[in-house]
Amino acid sequence: MIKRLTLISASIALGCLATIGPVLISVYVASKDAESRDREELREFANKAVMRAELVTYQAFAALSDLDRIPGPVCSPDRLHQAARVVYNYRYVQDAGAYGDGHYLCSPLLGDISTKNIALPPPDYRSADGYLVWFRQKSPLSDVRKDIQIGRNGNYVSVDSGSYVDLIDPARRPIAAIQITTGTLMAISPGVDPAEMLDAWKYGGDVKSDQWYYAVAQSATRPLGVVVRSPRGSVLGDWPKVLATWLAVGVVVAAAFGWLVYRRITRQLSFPATLEWAIARRKIDVVYQPVVRLADGECVGVEALVRWTLNGRAISPDVFVRVAEDNRLIQPLTDLVLEKTLAQLVSLLVANPAFYVTINVSAEDLSSLRFLNRLDASLAGTGIAPQQIRIEATERSFMNHDTTRGVIAAFRAAGHPVYIDDFGTGYSSLAYLQTFEVDVLKIDKSFVDTVVQESASSVVAPHIIAMAHELNVEIVAEGVESAAQAAWLRERGVQYGQGWYYAKAMAAQELVRWIGQNRAQAHTRASADSQPTL
């Protein structure tokens, strides 16, 4: 009996082992594969970080070379002017000037300070080819900021240390830049322990940690190195649940899960994912460009324009709006513009019932009543009238005639005027326009640019104006940049214009101030026009 129980127990144990063994092996292999992928990805990121460090250093050396070639006395006005051009030419250079006998002499930012005896301490490092480096040099202009300063032959440049570690990375992995010869930490991401990153550099990234992976990379041309860090994966950290899942659904589901994880990781590193992140966290800004009445120059409304600044760099709307359209992000982007516009302009719109704002929509926004329903719900209780929120759509948004026609009619029935934006750049014709009921045509800037010129395209604007008059719709001319253009348009019956001649796009607070000035000027002109002439 005992032997039988022992045999049964052994069989059960062997059966469990035969069942569990492949699963455990698969989990182990999966964990090692994930670790290998993470480490390889981190090594690639380290190589990108080295390329950034090389670029920043190259610009500093190139700027020094340009300074060496500037003729004339060291601190003469002409030389300082040329030094300012050098600073402008190199993105990562903050200042460029001259020093001598242990003192600052001059720079475009400091001016000529040769008589002020502002001390420049001995450099932290001297290279074999004559370059001097101060790793954390406090600027005479700031009590807080410390830059990397590189000098040679009596000239120096200042570089923000953050430039070495400021990479676009949705994962926000920390970076440390190191001068290899001295082992000095040149720059590090905020909130990271310098001693930890230096220790990781010392051991070539081979640091045992339950939390982090490390990777190092070294420049092939300069004594520069970087350390990067990312969180460790935890495939085995919750092994009972992982084991139960594998036993229940098998290897196929686990393989599919691994594929989905891989796709998710690669997507998180993409530009569309970064844009999705920015929209979700309301990192997209809205600015407003005034629309003025050409007859008297008074501002009657504004166009809401979307802007995105990523890591200090402005991303062109032509780029990220198209990415949003191609990745099903355009509706969340339009919703965010509406939300911010109403929040920022509610007081202005309620106080001025005749004032309006136009919001650009896409073909996807015109494919259903979704955005109209959201717009009307957003206006409820605000005191903003429907006619104060107007809709702009480009001609290519009208491709699906039947659906778009119904949605546009619904917008107009709800009290929201509809504009055709960039008119003349698509497939516009009188017959095409007669199938849609719209309120305003906007003449594209490319045609406005030619209205006072003798060119082949200068005949387009008059045709568009005539077409609008034929349809009895109003006209807004985009891109007005001169008084001559404004006068030409006004003489031909164009009612409204927008462009740099009147004002650039601006934030909401600046807009309120500008409108006050505009109305004061319009009142002054009206008073002058009403005075009798002698």
Side-chain angles (χ1 to χ4, degrees):
M1 183 67 177
I2 295 176
K3 289 184 178 180
R4 181 177 179 82
L5 291 176
T6 301
L7 181 60
I8 292 174
S9 299
S11 298
I12 292 174
L14 288 174
C16 291
L17 181 62
T19 303
I20 296 172
V23 174
L24 294 177
I25 293 173
S26 299
V27 172
Y28 175 79
V29 171
S31 69
K32 289 298 182 182
D33 181 63
E35 178 179 349
S36 175
R37 289 177 182 272
D38 287 345
R39 289 188 179 277
E40 178 60 29
E41 181 186 337
L42 194 59
R43 283 191 291 268
E44 292 179 1
F45 182 65
N47 290 330
K48 293 179 181 178
V50 162
M51 293 173 62
R52 162 57 70 85
E54 290 177 334
L55 175 60
V56 174
T57 305
Y58 164 78
Q59 289 198 8
F61 286 3
L64 283 173
S65 178
D66 289 351
L67 291 174
D68 286 340
R69 291 194 292 269
I70 298 176
V74 173
C75 293
S76 66
D78 182 64
R79 186 178 176 89
L80 288 178
H81 175 72
Q82 294 299 321
R85 295 178 65 88
V86 171
V87 174
Y88 182 81
N89 287 339
Y90 296 98
R91 175 181 177 184
Y92 301 112
V93 174
Q94 305 296 308
D95 195 15
Y99 65 92
D101 296 327
H103 292 84
Y104 286 98
L105 297 180
C106 55
S107 80
L109 288 181
L110 299 174
D112 186 349
I113 56 172
S114 56
T115 61
K116 294 184 179 181
N117 294 322
I118 299 178
L120 177 65
D124 300 307
Y125 170 68
R126 297 174 182 268
S127 69
D129 50 356
Y131 288 97
L132 312 180
V133 182
W134 293 261
F135 291 115
R136 293 180 59 80
Q137 177 61 25
K138 186 178 74 172
S139 170
L141 292 174
S142 172
D143 294 329
V144 178
R145 178 167 168 172
K146 294 182 179 180
D147 291 336
I148 295 174
Q149 193 164 293
I150 303 174
R152 189 184 187 192
N153 299 333
N155 295 312
Y156 76 89
V157 294
S158 293
V159 177
D160 181 1
S161 60
S163 301
Y164 281 86
V165 296
D166 182 21
L167 271 73
I168 296 177
D169 178 27
R172 297 184 178 180
R173 290 167 289 194
I175 306 169
I178 296 168
Q179 207 283 334
I180 295 174
T181 307
T182 61
T184 301
L185 186 69
M186 299 173 60
I188 190 168
S189 299
V192 183
D193 183 5
E196 173 194 348
M197 301 299 267
L198 283 171
D199 193 53
W201 171 259
K202 178 180 177 181
Y203 291 102
D206 188 14
V207 178
K208 292 183 178 180
S209 172
D210 295 332
Q211 292 183 288
W212 311 105
Y213 292 133
Y214 299 87
V216 301
Q218 181 174 335
S219 170
T221 59
R222 304 189 187 281
L224 297 171
V226 298
V227 180
V228 295
R229 187 186 78 180
S230 69
R232 291 180 63 94
S234 184
V235 177
L236 295 178
D238 196 13
W239 67 268
K241 292 183 180 179
V242 174
L243 180 59
T245 301
W246 277 59
L247 286 173
V249 299
V251 177
V252 175
V253 173
F257 177 75
W259 179 79
L260 291 174
V261 170
Y262 172 75
R263 287 292 302 272
R264 180 64 176 174
I265 291 173
T266 54
R267 173 168 168 75
Q268 287 178 346
L269 297 176
S270 67
F271 185 81
T274 305
L275 177 58
E276 183 177 10
W277 168 88
I279 295 172
R281 287 161 180 78
R282 299 170 55 84
K283 300 293 184 181
I284 304 297
D285 298 317
V286 181
V287 295
Y288 306 94
Q289 185 168 38
V291 178
V292 304
R293 188 165 44 234
L294 294 178
D296 56 13
E298 182 174 354
C299 179
V300 296
V302 292
E303 178 183 1
L305 300 172
V306 66
R307 296 290 185 266
W308 182 24
T309 301
L310 180 61
N311 294 328
R313 185 179 66 183
I315 308 298
S316 170
D318 292 339
V319 174
F320 71 82
V321 170
R322 181 56 61 88
V323 171
E325 290 176 336
D326 293 342
N327 291 272
R328 303 187 66 81
L329 297 173
I330 193 62
Q331 288 187 345
L333 179 60
T334 307
D335 292 347
L336 179 59
V337 172
L338 172 64
E339 178 185 344
K340 286 199 169 188
T341 298
L342 295 182
Q344 294 171 359
L345 300 188
V346 59
S347 299
L348 179 63
L349 291 168
V350 171
N352 300 273
F355 196 79
Y356 66 85
V357 58
T358 64
I359 295 178
N360 290 276
V361 298
S362 70
E364 191 171 347
D365 295 314
L366 295 177
S367 64
S368 71
L369 298 177
R370 184 204 68 86
F371 182 68
L372 174 59
N373 294 333
R374 184 180 184 93
L375 171 57
D376 290 345
S378 299
L379 291 182
T382 63
I384 300 173
Q387 66 267 20
Q388 291 182 275
I389 306 299
R390 307 185 176 191
I391 303 303
E392 289 195 26
T394 59
E395 290 182 72
R396 68 172 183 272
S397 302
F398 290 61
M399 293 295 290
N400 188 341
H401 287 194
D402 294 334
T403 301
T404 304
R405 185 183 298 107
V407 175
I408 288 176
F411 271 110
R412 300 182 77 244
H416 304 289
V418 176
Y419 289 41
I420 299 182
D421 193 15
D422 298 336
F423 187 78
T425 61
Y427 51 94
S428 53
S429 69
L430 184 59
Y432 150 70
L433 284 175
Q434 287 173 336
T435 66
F436 293 94
E437 292 187 7
V438 298
D439 301 279
V440 179
L441 298 184
K442 298 189 73 175
I443 305 177
D444 185 68
K445 178 183 184 300
S446 61
F447 301 123
V448 174
D449 287 341
T450 67
V451 296
V452 292
Q453 302 173 6
E454 293 295 334
S455 64
S457 58
S458 63
V459 300
V460 177
H463 284 293
I464 295 175
I465 295 170
M467 186 183 298
H469 291 328
E470 178 73 19
L471 294 171
N472 197 30
V473 298
E474 293 187 316
I475 311 169
V476 176
E478 297 183 289
V480 180
E481 297 182 352
S482 69
Q485 291 175 338
W488 188 96
L489 294 164
R490 185 169 54 248
E491 290 169 0
R492 284 156 181 81
V494 176
Q495 296 92 347
Y496 306 102
Q498 65 182 107
W500 286 8
Y501 176 65
Y502 299 104
K504 297 183 180 180
M506 62 192 83
Q509 291 182 343
E510 184 182 357
L511 173 68
V512 172
R513 293 192 297 269
W514 183 89
I515 288 176
Q517 297 169 358
N518 172 263
R519 288 180 176 172
Q521 293 170 356
H523 178 74
T524 300
R525 287 192 297 269
S527 298
D529 292 341
S530 65
Q531 295 297 321
T533 58
L534 298 179

